[in-house]
Amino acid sequence: MKAAYEGFISISFEQNELFVILPEMQFDYAVLHFENLHISKKVKKLLDKKDYEFSVNKDFKTIINKINEYHLDSWIVKEYKNTLLNLENYQGSIDFELLTCSLKDKESNEIIAGEIGYRIGKVYTSLSGFSSKKRKFNNYGKLQLVLLAQYLEEKGFNFWNLGHPYMKYKFDLGAVLYKREEFLNIFREQRDKKLNS
């Protein structure tokens, strides 16, 4: 918790009998300021279809399990998963909240995209996510990202920390690159602020 408050994203490492939670020292961050959100033409068409249901904080275990099914090398191993689940109803001195979101296909009732992350103050940080590999759900992962960005903006978040800047989709979404010192400056400004009521 303290590591997250200081701007670290913690992952886990497991080998044989060893399990360690590792706060990452990132040099660069992908950050989405909501006024920069870019919605592609393909995603705009999906927005209009309304054949999906977007929700936040519905089923933590299901989302984590879906992430682990999608990522064969997922770092959300059993001990880390249990740590996250223990934080579901956290109440402490740090203004922290665990969040999940999911995108469900209305016809099949299948969860086709989702992610887990957390809020500190007015900043949302992504941990990991997934999207269906079925061809019929092409671009629904991007739709989930857009819907989450819109939700975060509506709820009064200041920005979205997308973490590592090595994935193109983050910049396609409208993210900008921050060096660690620059990121920590904007993060510290927002971590003790309260969301709009």
Side-chain angles (χ1 to χ4, degrees):
M1 191 72 61
K2 181 64 174 172
Y5 182 76
E6 295 300 334
F8 292 94
I9 298 175
S10 295
I11 61 169
S12 64
F13 173 80
E14 185 178 49
Q15 187 173 29
N16 300 326
E17 299 295 317
L18 177 67
F19 168 75
V20 182
I21 291 180
L22 301 170
E24 287 191 308
M25 177 66 80
Q26 292 180 212
F27 297 105
D28 303 295
Y29 294 77
V31 171
L32 178 66
H33 297 284
F34 302 114
E35 64 270 20
N36 296 333
L37 177 64
H38 176 259
I39 305 174
S40 70
K41 290 180 180 178
K42 290 179 180 178
V43 171
K44 284 178 181 176
K45 288 181 180 178
L46 294 179
L47 282 167
D48 292 336
K49 287 179 72 174
K50 301 292 185 185
D51 59 348
Y52 56 84
E53 178 186 328
F54 176 78
S55 58
V56 174
N57 283 344
K58 288 290 184 182
D59 191 339
F60 287 82
K61 288 182 180 178
T62 298
I63 297 302
I64 293 171
N65 289 340
K66 288 275 192 181
I67 289 169
N68 284 340
E69 288 170 13
Y70 182 86
H71 299 285
L72 297 179
D73 58 347
S74 174
W75 47 266
I76 304 182
V77 295
K78 182 179 178 182
E79 289 85 353
Y80 194 96
K81 175 182 176 179
N82 291 337
T83 299
L84 290 175
L85 293 175
N86 287 335
L87 291 171
E88 183 177 345
N89 298 308
Y90 167 83
Q91 292 182 340
S93 59
I94 295 174
D95 184 20
F96 173 95
E97 181 183 11
L98 191 66
L99 298 169
T100 59
C101 73
S102 63
L103 190 67
K104 186 181 288 186
D105 174 49
K106 284 184 177 178
E107 183 181 355
S108 65
N109 211 34
E110 177 185 357
I111 296 176
I112 54 177
E115 76 163 70
I116 189 166
Y118 57 85
R119 176 187 64 78
I120 291 185
K122 296 182 75 169
V123 179
Y124 173 73
T125 298
S126 289
L127 286 174
S128 188
F130 73 95
S131 61
S132 174
K133 296 178 182 178
K134 294 179 182 177
R135 186 174 179 181
K136 66 185 265 186
F137 295 128
N138 280 352
N139 294 304
Y140 278 79
K142 294 176 182 177
L143 172 63
Q144 177 252 301
L145 294 171
V146 166
L147 291 168
L148 178 56
Q150 292 175 337
Y151 170 87
L152 295 173
E153 181 177 24
E154 178 186 325
K155 293 297 180 182
F157 285 77
N158 189 270
F159 65 85
W160 178 355
N161 172 17
L162 286 151
H164 286 297
Y166 310 123
M167 294 86 150
K168 183 176 179 293
Y169 78 86
K170 298 178 182 182
F171 296 99
D172 290 343
L173 193 64
V176 293
L177 179 72
Y178 280 87
K179 294 295 183 185
R180 179 166 178 78
E181 185 175 350
E182 296 173 313
F183 170 78
L184 289 177
N185 287 337
I186 63 169
F187 175 74
R188 287 168 180 156
E189 287 176 2
Q190 302 298 325
R191 69 183 178 185
D192 293 316
K193 293 186 178 180
K194 299 293 183 184
L195 282 179
N196 303 335
S197 55

